[in-house]
Amino acid sequence: MSSKQGGKGGAAAGKAKKPAKAGTDEKREDVLQAVILADSFQDRFKPFTLETPRCLLPLVNVPVIEYTLEFLASNGVQEVFIYCGAHSESIEQYIRESLRWSPGSILSPFSSLEFIRVSDAHSIGDFLRDLDKRAIIAGDFILVHGDLVANIQLDAALAKHRARREANRDACMTMVLRSVGEQPHRAARARGITPVFVVDPTTGRCLQYEETHPLQSEHHLVLDPAVFSHGEFEIRSDLIDCGIDICTPDILALWSESFDYELPRKNFLHGVLKDWELNGKMLFTEILDDGYAARASNLQMYDCISKDVLERWTLPFVPDSNLVHGQTYRRIKGGSYAEDHVVIERGAKVTQSALGRGTTVQTGSVVSRSVIGKRCKIGKNVRIENSYIWDDAVVGDGTSIFHSIVAGSVVVGANCRIPEGSLISFNVHLDNGIQLPSKPPARISLLSDEQQRAETDVSLVGKGGKGALYQVVTEEEESDDEDGVKRDPAILQSSLIYSLEGLNLSTSSISTLASEDGYGSDDEISTAASLQGSDFGQTRDRLSSFASDDASKPDSFHADAVSGLVDALRADDDDFDSAKLEFMGLRLANNASDSAMRRAIAVAFVRRAAELLTPPHGALEPTRAAERALAAKAGAVKFIREVGVGGDSVAQQADFALAVQKALLAVKDLEPARAGTLLAALLQQLYSLDVLEEDGILAWWADERAAEGEGMNKLREKCRVLVEWLENADEEESSEEEEEEDDDDEDEEDDD
Amino acid sequence: MAPSQATHVPNLDNLIKSLNSLPLEASIESLIFLLKRRQVTGDECAKATAHVLRQVVAKSKWNDVDQLLSRVQSAGSRLARAAPLEPVIGNIVRRVLGLIRDEASEDRNVDDLASEAASDIQSLAPSAPSPQKAAPAPVRPPPTVVSTGLQVSKSMFNLLSVAETGDTPVTGASTPLSQAQTASVHALRSEVMDGIEEILDEINQADDQIAGFADIQIHPGDYVLAYQPSRTVERFLVKAASKRRFTVIIAGLESRNHDAITEPPYAALRKRLNAAGVNTINLASNGLMAYIPRVNKVIFGAKAVYQNGGLLVDSGCCIAAQAAHEYLKPVIVLCPVYKFCPEDPSDEVSRGELGNPSSYVSYADGPEVDALEVENTVTDYIPPELVDVYLTNLGPQTQHHLASILADHYKTEDITLGLALQLGEP
């Protein structure tokens, strides 16, 4: 009532001002809008997220989304759209019931707050494409994730973004990144996947984006040659990507154009930068050296951010600011925070921790660097270190908990031991005297992955306990919300404690899984694998399964590309253009390197040529087979010249010849002598088709890689005649001579 | 263009601008969150509190003095609780409460005058007492006619809306008695709002008034150590520089660990002082002690002065005060009267507020972040024995006169606001 009346009074008083204010509003680009992505389509927080969405998990006793909303409010955002995925009801309910945020409340700092549900969304990409369709975004907007904790002011970044956009319409996104220096940092350690930004230091323009992680086999990145044309650039892997993007609506159109992009960084950013020449869009970075910004994107980040909050790096988002309604934190001795009605008995020691309202810590207990929620009961002589205990948990006397998360309403009996890295989900009961395993750390939940109640595992939680071991979903069962390459590092991110120790042991099993599962007995792939192996060196050549552990990216490209090309070559019609198009598409999708393309093309043509030698396909002579394979289809030669060789330089031609040689070596059911003849025929044919030049073939001949190993050398020897002829040949050599050579080849083959 | 773009971030100016259009509850709440997020700090708190309390008086619903008092009290205590280490908020609330009590008792004495007020509000304006300095009522220069006129129109509107909402069973047209009552409410409202306007004026003028005493405090040839000069101190020094030749040693430079690419600290101040012919020396914090024997007096500003004479100051001042005390150099604290707090320092005050460790350790420095426990206290408490002169806008005072200043400005009933803080609000 009073507010209503006040509103009237205010309206009258402010009458004169209002029109003027609206005018200035328009001038400064309407209102600031923000979009919160409240679902990340990941399961790094399982088993906790089986029941509660990630953005409602308590971080220092405050649901994570509160930090995000408060961050937006502190930056003067006025309209907020929240995209909810899983558990959308509970997020909506939380916001609606909150005094401060509930839409339409006069207390809300936002003029509007809307929820958007997308029924069939499977990735963040789907959200953003939906956003594009809705056309609710008027101008620049801030895109954040629902797990953001930040205290930075975006003013400067916004102003820069606007200036850039006004100068150039294609400058359509600014990513806000926090630098964490080159030395090891707990926030950087926590991320598993290291983003690598190639940035122009003067303009802040992002030129290339890659991701690396410790489990990949290729410990290098391939720089796009276009990067070098920018003159100065920096390659930075010391950045925390806090997921704050200042976008223009154009960005959404880009999402819509690329319907298969799922992740904003790995797919979208990478893709848009790669296709810069196509779309012409420029993306910028704003690298902060000050302030705090991070995403609680996995349990390790959760751990790290919680510590940062307790240490006040996130000021003003610290417990004793009491930003959430009803909180009454005060600083108490020992660098801790406690709410009202917290009882810390004499003899109990609490250091650098936060205790929620109504929590009791009984005598003799030691709590350090931990967060304990509301209404928890901590018994006598309990030790809690570096742990997170959520609301209503009960910890029995004499129990020790180290670096673990104990979720809400968990009951831990007396004299238990919960070692590092344990995750105990909601409502689990542990009987007295339970010792949880330390390697690997246990994850205990009442629910199984399908939201079903799991059968209580008495051996784990004891007779009086409730709960079972939560099985980490293995790769095969995992829904395909992330593509294959990301699965491996996802393991790094799903545990509370980042450790490579345990994972190195399991690397082999991962790779066998991958090789069994993806590639099976498909002979095309075994070729690919051994080819790739030979690229890496002879030792790995033998271990074909080992070679496939470097994720599936090059291999899947190789396999797809080869089979596509071979099919096109086999086909009766004369249409090679579509195959070419498909190949280029694959190449872009997989970001295949030039050498991978060369290899794939060589393998495809060699396989076709080898096939033609066999009876079912005509049992042609090697020369005829080579000719048929290479020149039967219009455009194929051009394709080899442009894509396979990829240039006029001698080195590229030599590489292609080498690739052909290797491909021949790998072809099964082909005796080495015949293979050698075929190689000579192919090279000669390529020479006569102007794909390879004299110098290129001679360079290949001189290349020692071509003579490595017995098999390779045998093949090479077969080409000696061709090479000698080339060496002696004059420029004006007539086609007659060529005929002769052909005959020679055939003679040789007959000899064999 | 650029400044207008930078206004997305909420700040005090934006808030004050939007106060009239916001519902009352929303404006209280937005100030609370500005305080909690530290987007309004220090001197701004006083101003912001006064503005919001003015809205409380203008917009909230009340029929008699007691209701008004309780409205102001509850809003005020919520504000004060939002920033426990900004005692000025509580001070302003107390001042407003005292103002209301004063006006109410005055109204009762001159009841007939109040009943006439409905017909001619402006006749009240001259009746407002305007004693300066020694008078028990707060300092208030007479309000300008224009502002009074504005107030009237606003309160008239409120008057009507009160009647419309049917808050009291008696409507505006019923009896002459109720008319007199609404009239007195109306008169009181505009009186109190004028009073708050005056408090705002006092806040705005305090710095200048303090600076007026500069030439008395600073003598020619003095070496003055200014520790982390605040805006008040800067104005004071510049004023003194216009009349005296002396040397200023600026100590307590911000200890940022990052290499400061921006201007050297206090460049603007130094430029202005140099222009007036006053030498300045910038002093790194650790050189402070060595310079103390050379210094004639130490000057800094306070965030608050407590009943016992203790000070709440920015961190680092305590060292300067201690050093000066050891060498028997006078310590002069610049502190406007509205910062005098009729309470004793709480536990939290003596422990100091903790700031962001990033002032000392860069978050980018991984090993340090992990290994160090950085407590960056941003406030200090200075015990009264280290302070020699409290230079207020009413003139220099000593510790022994603080009690009378407090008694002049606050009503005993309101001193327990601190107690009300804990009891009020569920």
Side-chain angles (χ1 to χ4, degrees):
Chain A
M1 277 297 257
S2 72
S3 67
K4 204 173 162 189
Q5 177 202 345
K8 272 183 192 168
K15 224 173 213 170
K17 276 186 180 173
K18 257 190 178 166
K21 212 181 149 216
T24 52
D25 267 357
E26 261 173 38
K27 206 163 68 189
R28 59 162 206 243
E29 319 244 24
D30 310 307
V31 289
L32 195 55
Q33 293 176 309
V35 176
I36 300 179
L37 305 169
D39 194 343
S40 54
F41 302 97
Q42 292 158 337
D43 43 14
R44 297 173 184 166
F45 275 83
K46 281 190 175 175
F48 303 118
T49 45
L50 290 176
E51 288 163 65
T52 315
R54 185 198 282 186
C55 58
L56 292 187
L57 296 179
L59 194 145
V60 194
N61 295 337
V62 175
V64 180
I65 198 161
E66 288 276 352
Y67 292 94
T68 312
L69 290 168
E70 199 64 59
F71 164 73
L72 294 178
S74 76
N75 274 295
V77 169
Q78 277 157 299
E79 291 184 9
V80 176
F81 303 96
I82 302 181
Y83 267 94
C84 304
H87 303 289
S88 54
E89 311 79 29
S90 40
I91 298 175
E92 285 180 31
Q93 192 192 355
Y94 177 83
I95 301 279
R96 281 187 211 289
E97 284 176 4
S98 131
L99 275 175
R100 182 154 161 72
W101 308 117
S102 106
S105 149
I106 52 161
L107 302 186
S108 169
F110 306 127
S111 61
S112 87
L113 185 149
E114 282 178 37
F115 296 98
I116 303 174
R117 288 194 203 179
V118 185
S119 53
D120 54 346
H122 297 291
S123 71
I124 290 170
D126 294 340
F127 277 166
L128 292 169
R129 283 183 279 275
D130 176 78
L131 186 61
D132 187 35
K133 270 182 246 153
R134 282 173 198 266
I136 41 180
I137 297 296
D140 290 347
F141 67 102
I142 302 173
L143 180 67
V144 296
H145 293 265
D147 49 12
L148 173 73
V149 180
N151 65 359
I152 51 177
Q153 296 292 312
L154 291 178
D155 257 7
L158 271 169
K160 277 193 206 167
H161 175 78
R162 287 202 179 116
R164 273 197 292 260
R165 198 206 48 212
E166 264 155 37
N168 184 346
R169 279 176 45 81
D170 288 327
C172 58
M173 183 162 112
T174 303
M175 293 169 284
V176 180
L177 309 167
R178 175 71 168 91
S179 129
V180 288
E182 286 156 22
Q183 284 165 298
H185 196 284
R186 64 181 179 210
R189 210 163 46 223
R191 60 196 173 187
I193 297 172
T194 308
V196 180
F197 291 87
V198 181
V199 177
D200 181 339
T202 47
T203 61
R205 193 178 142 199
C206 188
L207 304 172
Q208 195 182 350
Y209 174 79
E210 300 286 342
E211 284 177 356
T212 64
H213 56 83
L215 296 185
Q216 66 186 15
S217 65
E218 290 180 38
H219 293 282
H220 62 264
L221 293 174
V222 181
L223 277 185
D224 191 337
V227 166
F228 292 94
S229 62
H230 287 277
E232 199 181 354
F233 63 89
E234 281 177 354
I235 303 174
R236 302 197 58 163
S237 60
D238 63 331
L239 302 170
I240 297 184
D241 183 359
C242 37
I244 307 173
D245 296 340
I246 303 168
C247 309
T248 57
D250 292 1
I251 237 25
L252 298 172
L254 272 183
W255 274 98
S256 290
E257 278 166 27
S258 35
F259 53 89
D260 55 344
Y261 286 167
E262 294 187 338
L263 302 168
R265 289 290 184 262
K266 189 180 158 49
N267 300 149
F268 180 75
L269 178 59
H270 181 90
V272 169
L273 290 175
K274 191 145 198 62
D275 299 343
W276 176 68
E277 282 166 2
L278 243 77
N279 55 38
K281 298 291 182 207
M282 297 200 281
L283 311 179
F284 289 84
T285 57
E286 173 76 17
I287 297 173
L288 303 169
D289 294 316
D290 244 342
Y292 187 89
R295 278 182 62 196
S297 53
N298 56 38
L299 286 166
Q300 296 145 28
M301 277 313 282
Y302 174 87
D303 184 23
C304 171
I305 294 176
S306 299
K307 293 224 162 73
D308 291 338
V309 170
L310 288 179
E311 289 175 15
R312 302 179 81 84
W313 292 100
T314 54
L315 201 82
F317 304 104
V318 291
D320 59 339
S321 289
N322 294 318
L323 281 160
V324 176
H325 189 84
Q327 274 196 341
T328 54
Y329 279 99
R330 275 173 303 125
R331 264 185 333 115
I332 57 170
K333 66 180 197 307
S336 300
Y337 306 91
E339 273 195 277
D340 291 350
H341 311 297
V342 166
V343 180
I344 301 171
E345 289 186 1
R346 179 181 304 193
K349 217 176 135 195
V350 177
T351 51
Q352 290 155 21
S353 303
L355 307 181
R357 179 189 292 261
T359 285
T360 312
V361 181
Q362 290 183 331
T363 185
S365 294
V366 178
V367 177
S368 66
R369 296 170 73 89
S370 300
V371 177
I372 298 179
K374 295 184 196 119
R375 302 173 298 273
C376 291
K377 296 209 163 26
I378 311 296
K380 298 185 179 70
N381 301 317
V382 173
R383 281 189 69 184
I384 299 176
E385 287 175 14
N386 295 319
S387 297
Y388 304 95
I389 294 177
W390 296 348
D391 296 352
D392 299 302
V394 178
V395 179
D397 297 350
T399 290
S400 322
I401 301 176
F402 303 102
H403 208 165
S404 300
I405 297 180
V406 176
S409 308
V410 167
V411 178
V412 180
N415 301 315
C416 294
R417 191 185 151 80
I418 300 179
E420 282 88 348
S422 306
L423 307 176
I424 300 177
S425 188
F426 297 95
N427 300 314
V428 166
H429 286 212
L430 293 186
D431 206 0
N432 293 343
I434 296 294
Q435 310 266 327
L436 290 183
S438 58
K439 268 186 187 173
R443 293 159 188 238
I444 304 175
S445 169
L446 282 192
L447 301 178
S448 70
D449 200 36
E450 292 83 34
Q451 306 277 348
Q452 306 280 313
R453 224 180 157 76
E455 198 122 319
T456 292
D457 183 352
V458 177
S459 65
L460 186 71
V461 296
K463 276 205 182 92
K466 278 197 287 185
L469 205 60
Y470 176 76
Q471 300 294 335
V472 184
V473 192
T474 50
E475 270 71 41
E476 298 97 314
E477 288 165 32
E478 196 179 354
S479 59
D480 51 348
D481 51 8
E482 286 180 24
D483 56 314
V485 188
K486 202 151 181 202
R487 280 179 191 158
D488 295 358
I491 292 173
L492 290 178
Q493 297 190 323
S494 62
S495 62
L496 178 60
I497 300 171
Y498 175 80
S499 155
L500 281 176
E501 201 183 338
L503 286 160
N504 277 343
L505 295 172
S506 62
T507 314
S508 57
S509 71
I510 293 171
S511 66
T512 35
L513 267 181
S515 57
E516 278 168 18
D517 165 55
Y519 310 121
S521 56
D522 193 342
D523 70 328
E524 285 175 358
I525 305 304
S526 64
T527 323
S530 64
L531 259 174
Q532 203 180 18
S534 59
D535 250 9
F536 294 144
Q538 293 298 318
T539 42
R540 296 185 71 174
D541 193 88
R542 310 254 144 29
L543 304 165
S544 64
S545 77
F546 191 43
S548 62
D549 77 346
D550 51 337
S552 53
K553 201 189 248 181
D555 288 346
S556 75
F557 163 73
H558 187 82
D560 293 351
V562 169
S563 61
L565 285 177
V566 171
D567 285 347
L569 289 171
R570 278 178 195 152
D572 294 329
D573 56 341
D574 202 34
D575 181 25
F576 195 72
D577 284 346
S578 59
K580 188 172 163 183
L581 218 65
E582 189 188 337
F583 180 86
M584 295 315 278
L586 264 174
R587 178 237 150 152
L588 288 175
N590 288 285
N591 183 23
S593 64
D594 285 353
S595 67
M597 288 197 307
R598 198 170 288 146
R599 207 168 64 214
I601 293 170
V603 168
F605 281 92
V606 163
R607 194 169 295 159
R608 175 63 183 157
E611 203 174 69
L612 290 171
L613 295 177
T614 56
H617 296 280
L620 299 175
E621 294 295 308
T623 327
R624 297 279 150 257
E627 194 190 332
R628 199 53 202 281
L630 293 172
K633 295 275 183 285
V637 172
K638 191 161 168 262
F639 174 68
I640 297 173
R641 191 181 301 134
E642 285 172 358
V643 185
V645 179
D648 293 331
S649 85
V650 172
Q652 281 163 330
Q653 294 186 10
D655 279 351
F656 186 72
L658 192 67
V660 171
Q661 186 190 5
K662 279 176 181 164
L664 266 170
L665 187 66
V667 174
K668 285 177 180 171
D669 313 323
L670 192 64
E671 56 269 38
R674 227 167 133 73
T677 318
L678 185 58
L679 175 63
L682 280 168
L683 289 180
Q684 195 260 331
Q685 197 59 239
L686 289 169
Y687 173 75
S688 63
L689 289 168
D690 278 347
V691 174
L692 296 183
E693 286 162 15
E694 193 180 322
D695 289 347
I697 295 179
L698 292 178
W700 162 75
W701 181 257
D703 195 329
E704 42 186 57
R705 281 177 296 170
E708 260 172 9
E710 202 183 326
M712 293 286 273
N713 212 4
K714 258 190 186 163
L715 290 183
R716 180 170 171 268
E717 282 306 313
K718 282 288 179 191
C719 304
R720 182 177 292 278
V721 186
L722 171 72
V723 170
E724 276 169 3
W725 169 74
L726 280 173
E727 276 170 344
N728 299 330
D730 280 337
E731 296 274 310
E732 299 90 1
E733 202 63 72
S734 69
S735 57
E736 281 173 39
E737 288 283 337
E738 260 179 63
E739 291 294 332
E740 253 179 62
E741 279 305 316
D742 280 3
D743 293 342
D744 279 354
D745 278 343
E746 278 169 37
D747 292 344
E748 262 180 40
E749 195 240 324
D750 289 342
D751 291 344
D752 285 321
Chain B
M1 197 73 188
S4 80
Q5 282 186 343
T7 49
H8 276 308
V9 170
N11 55 25
L12 181 60
D13 293 341
N14 284 355
L15 177 70
I16 291 174
K17 252 184 254 161
S18 64
L19 275 181
N20 279 329
S21 56
L22 282 178
L24 175 64
E25 198 53 28
S27 47
I28 297 176
E29 198 73 6
S30 37
L31 177 57
I32 286 178
F33 276 88
L34 283 176
L35 290 169
K36 284 183 173 179
R37 292 194 301 244
R38 273 77 158 173
Q39 282 171 328
V40 169
T41 52
D43 296 353
E44 286 182 334
C45 293
K47 226 182 280 180
T49 311
H51 274 289
V52 168
L53 289 183
R54 195 165 154 274
Q55 296 294 315
V56 173
V57 174
K59 289 185 181 170
S60 70
K61 207 166 45 170
W62 49 275
N63 297 315
D64 55 32
V65 178
D66 289 340
Q67 280 183 357
L68 177 60
L69 285 174
S70 77
R71 295 266 185 281
V72 172
Q73 214 154 20
S74 84
S77 62
R78 280 166 65 197
L79 292 175
R81 238 177 329 164
L85 282 168
E86 299 285 2
V88 271
I89 299 172
N91 293 350
I92 300 295
V93 176
R94 288 188 189 96
R95 290 282 290 270
V96 172
L97 288 172
L99 177 80
I100 296 169
R101 287 181 209 281
D102 276 347
E103 297 294 347
S105 63
E106 230 167 77
D107 277 4
R108 271 168 206 145
N109 293 342
V110 276
D111 216 0
D112 45 328
L113 186 68
S115 60
E116 278 167 28
S119 55
D120 185 11
I121 296 298
Q122 289 201 352
S123 68
L124 271 180
S127 84
S130 55
Q132 291 292 328
K133 292 184 183 177
V139 190
R140 49 170 80 152
T144 60
V145 180
V146 180
S147 78
T148 318
L150 199 75
Q151 298 316 327
V152 172
S153 66
K154 199 182 290 177
S155 358
M156 287 292 274
F157 187 90
N158 285 333
L159 175 68
L160 285 175
S161 54
V162 167
E164 268 172 2
T165 46
D167 173 50
T168 46
V170 276
T171 55
S174 60
T175 60
L177 179 71
S178 76
Q179 236 170 9
Q181 199 195 3
T182 28
S184 83
V185 162
H186 176 80
L188 182 58
R189 194 191 297 269
S190 67
E191 278 295 315
V192 171
M193 284 171 60
D194 287 350
I196 295 177
E197 237 10 87
E198 284 159 20
I199 293 177
L200 275 169
D201 286 342
E202 183 197 327
I203 294 170
N204 288 333
Q205 291 165 4
D207 283 355
D208 281 336
Q209 285 172 340
I210 290 177
F213 299 102
D215 51 337
I216 305 173
Q217 295 297 328
I218 292 181
H219 306 287
D222 266 357
Y223 278 77
V224 177
L225 186 126
Y227 196 89
Q228 286 182 355
S230 63
R231 222 184 45 238
T232 311
V233 176
E234 284 186 14
R235 204 167 286 186
F236 181 82
L237 291 173
V238 170
K239 186 75 190 282
S242 67
K243 299 211 173 136
R244 301 258 188 265
R245 280 290 156 87
F246 58 104
T247 307
V248 177
I249 300 172
I250 301 173
L253 311 175
E254 284 281 297
S255 56
R256 305 292 297 180
N257 54 339
H258 321 298
D259 38 341
I261 317 141
T262 49
E263 292 197 314
Y266 303 116
L269 171 65
R270 296 181 61 188
K271 217 171 276 172
R272 286 173 71 190
L273 288 175
N274 287 340
V278 167
N279 286 330
T280 54
I281 301 170
N282 263 9
L283 198 61
S285 286
N286 42 11
L288 182 75
M289 278 295 201
Y291 270 78
I292 287 288
R294 187 73 191 82
V295 161
N296 297 91
K297 54 197 55 152
V298 173
I299 292 183
F300 50 81
K303 281 168 87 79
V305 179
Y306 289 96
Q307 188 179 318
N308 62 355
L311 300 177
L312 179 66
V313 290
D314 291 333
S315 69
C317 287
C318 193
I319 292 175
Q322 197 106 40
H325 188 71
E326 291 300 318
Y327 283 91
L328 299 173
K329 306 288 180 185
V331 173
I332 301 172
V333 177
L334 305 192
C335 184
V337 165
Y338 69 86
K339 290 187 179 175
F340 281 65
C341 184
E343 281 178 319
D344 280 326
S346 65
D347 197 24
E348 268 163 331
V349 171
S350 55
R351 222 183 292 131
E353 191 187 358
L354 285 189
N356 195 323
S358 65
S359 321
Y360 293 96
V361 174
S362 163
Y363 188 70
D365 200 339
E368 282 182 23
V369 171
D370 260 349
L372 293 181
E373 200 67 51
V374 187
E375 288 207 350
N376 168 23
T377 49
V378 293
T379 62
D380 266 353
Y381 173 69
I382 298 185
E385 51 276 18
L386 299 183
V387 185
D388 297 282
V389 179
Y390 300 85
L391 184 55
T392 70
N393 46 341
L394 304 183
Q397 306 285 345
T398 63
Q399 188 195 335
H400 310 288
H401 292 90
L402 294 183
S404 72
I405 291 187
L406 291 173
D408 284 352
H409 284 86
Y410 304 106
K411 298 260 176 285
T412 25
E413 303 95 293
D414 301 324
I415 290 176
T416 52
L417 183 70
L419 198 64
L421 292 185
Q422 268 130 47
L423 298 177
E425 281 274 310

